[in-house]
Short mmCIF file of all heavy atoms in Angstrom, two decimals:
data_model
loop_
_atom_site.label_atom_id
_atom_site.label_comp_id
_atom_site.label_asym_id
_atom_site.label_seq_id
_atom_site.Cartn_x
_atom_site.Cartn_y
_atom_site.Cartn_z
N PHE A 16 -18.78 20.05 1.71
CA PHE A 16 -19.57 19.89 0.47
C PHE A 16 -20.60 20.99 0.32
O PHE A 16 -20.95 21.39 -0.79
CB PHE A 16 -20.23 18.51 0.46
CG PHE A 16 -19.28 17.39 0.23
CD1 PHE A 16 -19.22 16.32 1.13
CD2 PHE A 16 -18.41 17.38 -0.83
CE1 PHE A 16 -18.35 15.27 0.94
CE2 PHE A 16 -17.52 16.31 -1.04
CZ PHE A 16 -17.47 15.28 -0.16
N ARG A 17 -21.12 21.53 1.45
CA ARG A 17 -22.10 22.62 1.36
C ARG A 17 -21.41 23.88 0.81
O ARG A 17 -22.02 24.59 0.01
CB ARG A 17 -22.72 22.89 2.74
CG ARG A 17 -23.60 21.76 3.23
CD ARG A 17 -24.57 22.25 4.30
NE ARG A 17 -23.93 22.79 5.47
CZ ARG A 17 -23.55 22.04 6.51
NH1 ARG A 17 -23.76 20.73 6.52
NH2 ARG A 17 -22.96 22.60 7.57
N ILE A 18 -20.20 24.14 1.21
CA ILE A 18 -19.49 25.32 0.71
C ILE A 18 -19.32 25.26 -0.79
O ILE A 18 -19.40 26.26 -1.49
CB ILE A 18 -18.13 25.45 1.43
CG1 ILE A 18 -18.32 25.87 2.89
CG2 ILE A 18 -17.19 26.40 0.71
CD1 ILE A 18 -17.05 25.86 3.72
N LEU A 19 -19.07 24.06 -1.32
CA LEU A 19 -18.83 23.88 -2.75
C LEU A 19 -20.05 24.08 -3.60
O LEU A 19 -19.94 24.10 -4.83
CB LEU A 19 -18.22 22.49 -2.97
CG LEU A 19 -16.84 22.26 -2.39
CD1 LEU A 19 -16.44 20.80 -2.54
CD2 LEU A 19 -15.79 23.14 -3.07
N GLN A 20 -21.21 24.26 -2.99
CA GLN A 20 -22.43 24.46 -3.78
C GLN A 20 -22.51 25.86 -4.35
O GLN A 20 -23.32 26.14 -5.24
CB GLN A 20 -23.65 24.20 -2.88
CG GLN A 20 -23.80 22.77 -2.43
CD GLN A 20 -24.96 22.59 -1.46
OE1 GLN A 20 -25.71 23.53 -1.17
NE2 GLN A 20 -25.09 21.38 -0.92
N TYR A 21 -21.67 26.78 -3.88
CA TYR A 21 -21.75 28.19 -4.29
C TYR A 21 -20.49 28.63 -4.99
O TYR A 21 -19.37 28.24 -4.62
CB TYR A 21 -21.96 29.08 -3.07
CG TYR A 21 -23.19 28.64 -2.24
CD1 TYR A 21 -23.02 27.85 -1.09
CD2 TYR A 21 -24.46 29.01 -2.63
CE1 TYR A 21 -24.12 27.45 -0.35
CE2 TYR A 21 -25.58 28.58 -1.89
CZ TYR A 21 -25.39 27.81 -0.74
OH TYR A 21 -26.49 27.40 -0.04
N PRO A 22 -20.60 29.46 -6.06
CA PRO A 22 -19.42 29.89 -6.83
C PRO A 22 -18.34 30.51 -5.94
O PRO A 22 -17.16 30.18 -6.10
CB PRO A 22 -20.01 30.89 -7.82
CG PRO A 22 -21.43 30.48 -7.99
CD PRO A 22 -21.87 29.94 -6.64
N PHE A 23 -18.74 31.43 -5.06
CA PHE A 23 -17.72 32.06 -4.21
C PHE A 23 -17.08 31.03 -3.28
O PHE A 23 -15.88 31.06 -3.00
CB PHE A 23 -18.34 33.21 -3.39
CG PHE A 23 -17.32 33.89 -2.48
CD1 PHE A 23 -16.32 34.69 -3.01
CD2 PHE A 23 -17.38 33.70 -1.10
CE1 PHE A 23 -15.40 35.31 -2.15
CE2 PHE A 23 -16.47 34.30 -0.26
CZ PHE A 23 -15.46 35.12 -0.80
N GLY A 24 -17.91 30.11 -2.77
CA GLY A 24 -17.39 29.05 -1.89
C GLY A 24 -16.38 28.17 -2.63
O GLY A 24 -15.37 27.77 -2.05
N ARG A 25 -16.65 27.88 -3.92
CA ARG A 25 -15.67 27.07 -4.68
C ARG A 25 -14.39 27.78 -4.86
O ARG A 25 -13.30 27.19 -4.77
CB ARG A 25 -16.33 26.69 -6.05
CG ARG A 25 -17.46 25.70 -5.94
CD ARG A 25 -17.83 25.13 -7.27
NE ARG A 25 -18.48 26.09 -8.14
CZ ARG A 25 -19.80 26.29 -8.17
NH1 ARG A 25 -20.61 25.61 -7.39
NH2 ARG A 25 -20.32 27.15 -9.03
N TRP A 26 -14.46 29.10 -5.15
CA TRP A 26 -13.20 29.87 -5.29
C TRP A 26 -12.48 29.94 -3.95
O TRP A 26 -11.26 29.71 -3.90
CB TRP A 26 -13.48 31.29 -5.78
CG TRP A 26 -12.24 32.12 -5.82
CD1 TRP A 26 -11.29 32.15 -6.82
CD2 TRP A 26 -11.78 33.01 -4.79
NE1 TRP A 26 -10.28 32.99 -6.46
CE2 TRP A 26 -10.55 33.54 -5.23
CE3 TRP A 26 -12.29 33.40 -3.56
CZ2 TRP A 26 -9.82 34.47 -4.46
CZ3 TRP A 26 -11.59 34.30 -2.79
CH2 TRP A 26 -10.35 34.83 -3.26
N LEU A 27 -13.21 30.21 -2.91
CA LEU A 27 -12.60 30.32 -1.56
C LEU A 27 -11.94 29.01 -1.17
O LEU A 27 -10.87 29.01 -0.55
CB LEU A 27 -13.66 30.71 -0.57
CG LEU A 27 -13.18 31.32 0.76
CD1 LEU A 27 -12.47 32.64 0.50
CD2 LEU A 27 -14.34 31.54 1.73
N ALA A 28 -12.52 27.89 -1.56
CA ALA A 28 -12.00 26.58 -1.21
C ALA A 28 -10.66 26.32 -1.85
O ALA A 28 -9.89 25.49 -1.37
CB ALA A 28 -12.99 25.48 -1.56
N THR A 29 -10.34 27.01 -2.94
CA THR A 29 -9.02 26.83 -3.57
C THR A 29 -7.96 27.69 -2.91
O THR A 29 -6.78 27.52 -3.22
CB THR A 29 -9.09 27.21 -5.08
OG1 THR A 29 -9.35 28.64 -5.21
CG2 THR A 29 -10.19 26.44 -5.79
N GLN A 30 -8.35 28.59 -2.01
CA GLN A 30 -7.42 29.50 -1.41
C GLN A 30 -7.27 29.31 0.11
O GLN A 30 -6.17 29.42 0.64
CB GLN A 30 -7.89 30.96 -1.66
CG GLN A 30 -8.06 31.30 -3.11
CD GLN A 30 -6.78 31.28 -3.90
OE1 GLN A 30 -5.72 31.67 -3.40
NE2 GLN A 30 -6.82 30.78 -5.13
N ILE A 31 -8.36 29.04 0.79
CA ILE A 31 -8.38 28.96 2.22
C ILE A 31 -8.93 27.61 2.63
O ILE A 31 -10.09 27.30 2.37
CB ILE A 31 -9.18 30.12 2.87
CG1 ILE A 31 -8.60 31.45 2.46
CG2 ILE A 31 -9.26 29.95 4.37
CD1 ILE A 31 -9.42 32.66 2.95
N THR A 32 -8.10 26.80 3.28
CA THR A 32 -8.51 25.47 3.72
C THR A 32 -8.09 25.23 5.14
O THR A 32 -7.05 24.63 5.41
CB THR A 32 -7.90 24.39 2.78
OG1 THR A 32 -8.11 24.76 1.42
CG2 THR A 32 -8.52 23.02 3.05
N PRO A 33 -8.82 25.74 6.11
CA PRO A 33 -8.43 25.57 7.51
C PRO A 33 -8.46 24.10 7.93
O PRO A 33 -9.37 23.36 7.51
CB PRO A 33 -9.49 26.37 8.29
CG PRO A 33 -10.16 27.22 7.28
CD PRO A 33 -10.08 26.50 5.98
N ARG A 34 -7.54 23.70 8.72
CA ARG A 34 -7.53 22.31 9.22
C ARG A 34 -8.80 22.05 10.02
O ARG A 34 -9.35 20.94 9.93
CB ARG A 34 -6.30 22.12 10.12
CG ARG A 34 -6.12 20.67 10.61
CD ARG A 34 -4.86 20.59 11.48
NE ARG A 34 -4.59 19.20 11.90
CZ ARG A 34 -5.13 18.65 12.99
NH1 ARG A 34 -5.98 19.33 13.72
NH2 ARG A 34 -4.81 17.37 13.31
N SER A 35 -9.29 23.06 10.72
CA SER A 35 -10.51 22.86 11.50
C SER A 35 -11.71 22.55 10.65
O SER A 35 -12.60 21.79 11.04
CB SER A 35 -10.80 24.12 12.36
OG SER A 35 -10.92 25.26 11.52
N LEU A 36 -11.77 23.14 9.43
CA LEU A 36 -12.86 22.87 8.53
C LEU A 36 -12.78 21.42 8.02
O LEU A 36 -13.82 20.74 7.90
CB LEU A 36 -12.81 23.84 7.35
CG LEU A 36 -13.87 23.65 6.28
CD1 LEU A 36 -15.26 23.89 6.84
CD2 LEU A 36 -13.61 24.56 5.09
N VAL A 37 -11.58 20.96 7.73
CA VAL A 37 -11.39 19.58 7.28
C VAL A 37 -11.81 18.61 8.39
O VAL A 37 -12.50 17.60 8.13
CB VAL A 37 -9.94 19.32 6.86
CG1 VAL A 37 -9.70 17.84 6.56
CG2 VAL A 37 -9.58 20.15 5.63
N GLU A 38 -11.43 18.93 9.62
CA GLU A 38 -11.82 18.08 10.74
C GLU A 38 -13.33 18.04 10.90
O GLU A 38 -13.92 16.94 11.09
CB GLU A 38 -11.19 18.56 12.06
CG GLU A 38 -11.60 17.72 13.26
CD GLU A 38 -10.96 18.16 14.56
OE1 GLU A 38 -10.20 19.15 14.55
OE2 GLU A 38 -11.22 17.49 15.59
N GLU A 39 -13.99 19.17 10.83
CA GLU A 39 -15.44 19.24 10.98
C GLU A 39 -16.12 18.44 9.88
O GLU A 39 -17.09 17.70 10.13
CB GLU A 39 -15.92 20.70 10.95
CG GLU A 39 -17.39 20.85 11.22
CD GLU A 39 -17.85 22.29 11.33
OE1 GLU A 39 -16.97 23.18 11.37
OE2 GLU A 39 -19.07 22.53 11.33
#
């Protein structure tokens, strides 16, 4: 949710979704 607070983070979240990030 912290990543989604930023425009670049929102774009990046549509492209790169590591399983480790989901687990964390």
Side-chain angles (χ1 to χ4, degrees):
F16 289 125
R17 292 201 299 272
I18 288 172
L19 293 172
Q20 294 175 5
Y21 306 99
F23 179 71
R25 290 193 290 271
W26 175 82
L27 199 64
T29 67
Q30 304 295 321
I31 299 175
T32 312
R34 185 179 183 275
S35 58
L36 178 64
V37 173
E38 178 178 2
E39 185 175 349

